[in-house]
Amino acid sequence: MQNNNKKKPKVVSREIKEKLTEKLEELRVKELEREIQEKASFLNLPYINLKGFPISSEALRIIPELEAKRLRIVCFYRDERRANLATTNPENEEIISLRAKIETEEGLKTELYLISPVSLEFALKLYFTLPKPKKRVKAVEITKEDLKRYQPKIKTFQDLNREIQDVSATDLMALTIAAAIKSRASDIHIEAEEERVKFRFRIDGLLYDVASLPKRLWPLIISRIKNLSGLKINITDQPQDGRFSILLTDDKIDVRVSTLPSSFGESVVMRILMASSVLINLETLGFRGRSLEIFKHEIERPNGLILTSGPTGSGKSTTLYAILTHLAKPEIKIITLEEPIEYELKGVIQTQVDYSKGQTFAKNLRSVMRQDPDVVMIGEIRDQDTAEIAIQAALTGHLVFSTIHTNDAAGIVPRFLTLGVKSYLLAPAINMAMAQRLVRRICQNCKEEIKLEPEKIERVKKILEDLPAEEKKKINFANLKFYHGKGCEDCQNLSYKGRIGIFEVFTVEPEIEKLIIRGDVSEYEMREVLKKQGMITLVQDGLLKALDGITTVDEVFRVAE
C-alpha cells in the first residue's frame, strides 16, 4: 500500500522569488555604491548617487546624448555659475577637453564627481524625457543686414504691399517676417481667398490687412511655408502644425505654424515668439499702487495658490513668465507644466503636457510633485483633478501659480467651487487672485491731449467716483485730462504702440474666507465684498492709466466694459 503521508517539497511562489531577486539586487547595488564611494575617496573626487536625483533638462542639455554615452559622463546640475558633471571614468583625457569646452563656451565653472554605472544608466535614461524637437527642414536666416535692406522699404503697410509683388517665394517670406518684426506683430495670417491671397498682421491684439497677392502665387507661397516648418506639402485636407526658427544676430525667434483647410485653399497662422519679449520685469507689467504692493508681497511668500484669469490673449502667460523670471534663483526649484512651452526660461524646469498621448495637467502634476519643487506653475486649471492637486500642493508648502478662465476676479472662487473642490480646503489655499486684460499704449511720439464728449466724461466720472477713498483723493475731478495718438510713421499711423496690463487684485481676507467656506458663494456676492475690501476694478485701473496718458478711454472701454 502506497504511503500518502510523505511530505511534499515546498513550492516557492513566483512572487517570493521576485522579492528575493529584488532584495539581492538591492544589496548588490548598495555594495557597488560603497565601492565607488571608496574609489572616489582614493581619487580625491566627490561622490554622488544619482538614483532619484532631480536632474533638470537644462543640465542634461549641457552634454549632447551621444557624447554623454560615449564618454560615460553627464551633467546633473547647473545654475548661473557652475555645472556639476558626473562620470564613471574620470581618467579619460577627453573629459578634460570637454570640461574646458563647457567652461569656455557656457561660461560655467565645472566640478567632476565619480558615480557608479547604475547611477550613470539612470541619468542617461532621462535623455528620453527631453522634448523631441519637431523635424525642421531649415531655418530662415535674417541677419541685421537683411533687416537694414528691407526695413527702409517698408515704412507703411502700403510699402509692404508694393514690395511683396515683385519678390521670389524665398524672399517673400523673409520680407514678410522682417515687416512683421518691424511692426511688432505677434501673428502673421496668410489666407487663400477666391481671387487673392491676403496677408494680415495681428498687432497689439488687433488684425490689420497689410498686403495681398494674386491667387496664382498661392502654390508657391504655401509650399515655401510648409518646407520651412516641416509640414507635408501633399496634405491639404487636414490641419497641420509645425515650427521653424528665425536666426537674428541679437535675438532668438521661433515661429509656430498652423495650417487649416478652407474653401479656397488653406489658412495659415504664424505665431512669432521672440525670446526678448518675455524678458519683462514686474514693474513694466502694469501693476500700480496698492495692487503692486499686494502683488510683490504675495509672490514672495513660501507657499499658497496664486491665480490669474482672463480670456485668451489677455497676457496671463506673460505675467506668469515675469513672476518665474523674478523668482528663479539657484536655491529655488521651479517646475512648470505648459501647453505648449512657448519660451525657454533660464533656471526653470519646463515640461509640456500632450493630451494626444494621455498626458494631462493632472497626471503630469502628480509626477511634478514627486520632484520636490519649491514653486510650480500650471498652465491652466480646467478640471477637478488638477484643481485638487494644486490646492493640496499649496497647503503642503509649495508656491503654486496658475490660470483659470473667468470674466473677472470675482468669478474665480465660484468657478473653482463649480469644479467640485472642497471649500474648506480652497479657503486657506488661495493667497491672491487677479483678473487682467491688455490695453494698447498711446504712441508717445504722436500723443496729444483731447477733449472727450460730455456723455463720456460723465460715464468716466461715475466709474472713478467708486474708487477707494485713498485713490479718489488723488484725482482732480474738475480738470480731467485725457490723450490719444494722432498717428505717425513711428506707429505705422495706428496711434498706438505696445500694450500694458490692467488688473484687479484681491487677497483672501477673513470675510472672503467665510464666503468660500460656505461653499455656495455667487459672483455678485464676491463682487460686493471685494468692493468693500477696496479692490480697484479692471475698468477703474484702465481709466487711471488713461489719466496718466498711457492709454485712451476708448481703448479701456473696448477691452474692459
Side-chain angles (χ1 to χ4, degrees):
M1 205 171 159
Q2 196 172 3
N3 186 1
N4 293 323
N5 294 325
K6 279 186 179 180
K7 287 186 179 179
K8 294 181 180 179
K10 288 185 179 179
V11 177
V12 180
S13 70
R14 180 188 287 181
E15 188 179 342
I16 292 172
K17 282 182 178 179
E18 287 176 353
K19 283 183 179 177
L20 284 169
T21 304
E22 284 175 14
K23 191 65 180 173
L24 287 170
E25 178 62 18
E26 189 181 316
L27 291 170
R28 187 190 72 80
V29 169
K30 277 185 179 177
E31 178 61 22
L32 176 63
E33 293 296 337
R34 187 187 63 76
E35 289 173 4
I36 297 297
Q37 195 167 2
E38 288 178 357
K39 182 180 177 182
S41 180
F42 176 76
L43 295 172
N44 201 24
L45 286 173
Y47 156 85
I48 190 169
N49 184 349
L50 292 181
K51 193 73 185 291
F53 189 90
I55 303 173
S56 71
S57 56
E58 195 177 29
L60 275 180
R61 285 194 179 97
I62 290 283
I63 303 173
E65 184 179 3
L66 290 177
E67 192 169 17
K69 287 179 176 178
R70 185 175 67 82
L71 297 179
R72 309 291 288 170
I73 187 171
V74 291
C75 177
F76 65 89
Y77 177 82
R78 74 160 289 176
D79 58 27
E80 297 292 328
R81 297 178 296 276
R82 69 186 190 279
N84 291 346
L85 314 178
T87 182
T88 59
N89 188 16
E91 292 90 357
N92 190 335
E93 291 182 3
E94 286 187 72
I95 288 177
I96 298 171
S97 302
L98 176 64
R99 291 180 68 181
K101 181 182 175 185
I102 292 170
E103 291 183 353
T104 303
E105 294 183 1
E106 301 287 339
L108 301 170
K109 186 178 179 182
T110 63
E111 186 172 4
L112 190 65
Y113 287 69
L114 186 67
I115 54 171
S116 71
V118 176
S119 268
L120 180 69
E121 289 309 311
F122 166 80
L124 290 175
K125 284 177 183 176
L126 295 179
Y127 276 99
F128 291 104
T129 67
L130 293 179
K132 299 293 185 291
K134 294 228 179 197
K135 196 173 181 181
R136 300 176 190 175
V137 177
K138 62 165 119 175
V140 182
E141 185 170 357
I142 300 179
T143 63
K144 279 186 176 178
E145 288 67 36
D146 291 325
L147 292 178
K148 283 177 184 175
R149 178 161 55 94
Y150 290 130
Q151 288 179 348
K153 301 176 182 179
I154 47 175
K155 292 178 181 176
T156 67
F157 296 148
Q158 290 79 11
D159 295 336
L160 172 61
N161 191 37
R162 184 184 65 251
E163 292 293 328
I164 211 171
Q165 307 299 322
D166 301 313
V167 294
S168 66
T170 301
D171 287 341
L172 182 147
M173 290 311 303
L175 176 64
T176 303
I177 291 167
I181 293 168
K182 184 176 187 293
S183 304
R184 302 167 294 100
S186 60
D187 303 84
I188 301 169
H189 292 239
I190 304 175
E191 298 155 357
E193 297 184 336
E194 189 172 7
E195 296 178 355
R196 308 287 294 172
V197 179
K198 184 163 67 176
F199 289 69
R200 299 198 287 172
F201 290 172
R202 188 177 292 280
I203 302 170
D204 296 334
L206 297 182
L207 277 171
Y208 297 91
D209 289 347
V210 296
S212 68
L213 286 172
K215 184 65 179 288
R216 61 182 168 78
L217 296 176
W218 175 246
L220 291 174
I221 297 168
I222 191 65
S223 295
R224 174 64 175 156
I225 293 169
K226 286 184 174 181
N227 269 326
L228 284 171
S229 47
L231 302 181
K232 294 177 181 176
I233 295 174
N234 61 329
I235 302 295
T236 60
D237 59 348
Q238 295 174 25
Q240 294 189 72
D241 294 303
R243 206 172 180 128
F244 66 88
S245 296
I246 300 172
L247 307 177
L248 287 179
T249 311
D250 55 358
D251 205 352
K252 179 187 176 184
I253 300 175
D254 277 333
V255 180
R256 211 166 62 214
V257 180
S258 169
T259 67
L260 184 72
S262 69
S263 304
F264 301 108
E266 288 169 276
S267 170
V268 178
V269 176
M270 304 164 70
R271 166 64 62 88
I272 299 172
L273 303 168
M274 299 185 71
S276 58
S277 67
V278 79
L279 300 175
I280 187 169
N281 59 47
L282 299 180
E283 285 68 28
T284 53
L285 281 173
F287 288 97
R288 61 189 303 284
R290 183 168 177 268
S291 295
L292 180 59
E293 291 172 15
I294 293 171
F295 181 78
K296 282 187 169 180
H297 176 261
E298 294 300 330
I299 67 170
E300 295 289 349
R301 290 178 66 176
N303 60 277
L305 184 59
I306 292 176
L307 298 160
T308 181
S309 75
T312 302
S314 59
K316 301 186 297 295
S317 294
T318 300
T319 298
L320 292 179
Y321 278 135
I323 294 169
L324 295 181
T325 302
H326 174 77
L327 293 177
K329 298 179 180 71
E331 64 270 21
I332 295 176
K333 181 165 185 174
I334 303 173
I335 304 181
T336 72
L337 279 172
E338 303 174 57
E339 185 200 11
I341 296 170
E342 293 195 353
Y343 300 98
E344 291 182 5
L345 299 176
K346 223 171 185 181
V348 177
I349 300 169
Q350 295 174 266
T351 65
Q352 184 165 307
V353 302
D354 187 342
Y355 279 85
S356 66
K357 296 178 181 175
Q359 299 171 1
T360 63
F361 278 113
K363 186 176 179 181
N364 284 24
L365 185 52
R366 288 188 179 93
S367 300
V368 164
M369 297 318 298
R370 290 193 285 271
Q371 289 282 309
D372 188 30
D374 300 296
V375 177
V376 178
M377 188 272 270
I378 307 163
E380 183 186 346
I381 292 177
R382 58 175 72 162
D383 56 59
Q384 183 177 352
D385 281 353
T386 310
E388 286 180 345
I389 301 166
I391 288 168
Q392 288 294 341
L395 292 172
T396 53
H398 306 85
L399 188 60
V400 181
F401 297 91
S402 190
T403 72
I404 192 165
H405 280 290
T406 64
N407 290 326
D408 57 16
I412 292 175
V413 169
R415 170 71 177 137
F416 256 88
L417 295 172
T418 60
L419 289 176
V421 301
K422 296 177 178 67
S423 59
Y424 60 85
L425 294 177
L426 179 62
I430 295 182
N431 287 357
M432 180 181 79
M434 59 186 175
Q436 64 180 87
R437 299 287 189 279
L438 290 173
V439 294
R440 291 177 294 170
R441 289 175 176 267
I442 298 170
C443 174
Q444 296 302 299
N445 192 53
C446 60
K447 184 172 82 171
E448 63 180 13
E449 190 177 341
I450 55 164
K451 286 198 177 291
L452 298 184
E453 301 88 348
E455 305 81 37
K456 200 173 283 183
I457 283 283
E458 287 308 310
R459 185 180 171 193
V460 169
K461 284 182 177 179
K462 188 177 178 183
I463 293 168
L464 294 178
E465 283 287 350
D466 280 341
L467 279 167
E470 67 272 14
E471 284 289 340
K472 194 162 66 172
K473 65 185 178 185
K474 298 175 188 175
I475 300 170
N476 181 2
F477 281 88
N479 187 26
L480 296 177
K481 291 185 178 180
F482 296 101
Y483 305 83
H484 80 158
K486 63 182 179 181
C488 65
E489 187 180 293
D490 196 43
C491 61
Q492 302 254 20
N493 288 312
L494 300 177
S495 305
Y496 297 94
K497 191 174 181 182
R499 290 191 288 177
I500 192 170
I502 58 173
F503 302 88
E504 53 185 30
V505 180
F506 74 87
T507 54
V508 177
E509 296 185 4
E511 192 174 353
I512 294 174
E513 191 167 359
K514 287 176 188 174
L515 279 178
I516 298 173
I517 291 172
R518 200 183 75 196
D520 60 350
V521 59
S522 69
E523 287 188 34
Y524 175 78
E525 285 178 284
M526 281 294 297
R527 204 170 287 116
E528 290 301 305
V529 173
L530 292 174
K531 185 178 176 182
K532 288 179 192 172
Q533 189 175 296
M535 183 185 78
I536 296 172
T537 66
L538 286 168
V539 69
Q540 287 172 339
D541 190 40
L543 291 177
L544 290 172
K545 287 183 171 74
L547 282 171
D548 290 338
I550 297 171
T551 189
T552 65
V553 171
D554 286 342
E555 178 69 1
V556 174
F557 287 154
R558 179 185 72 84
V559 169
E561 272 281 278

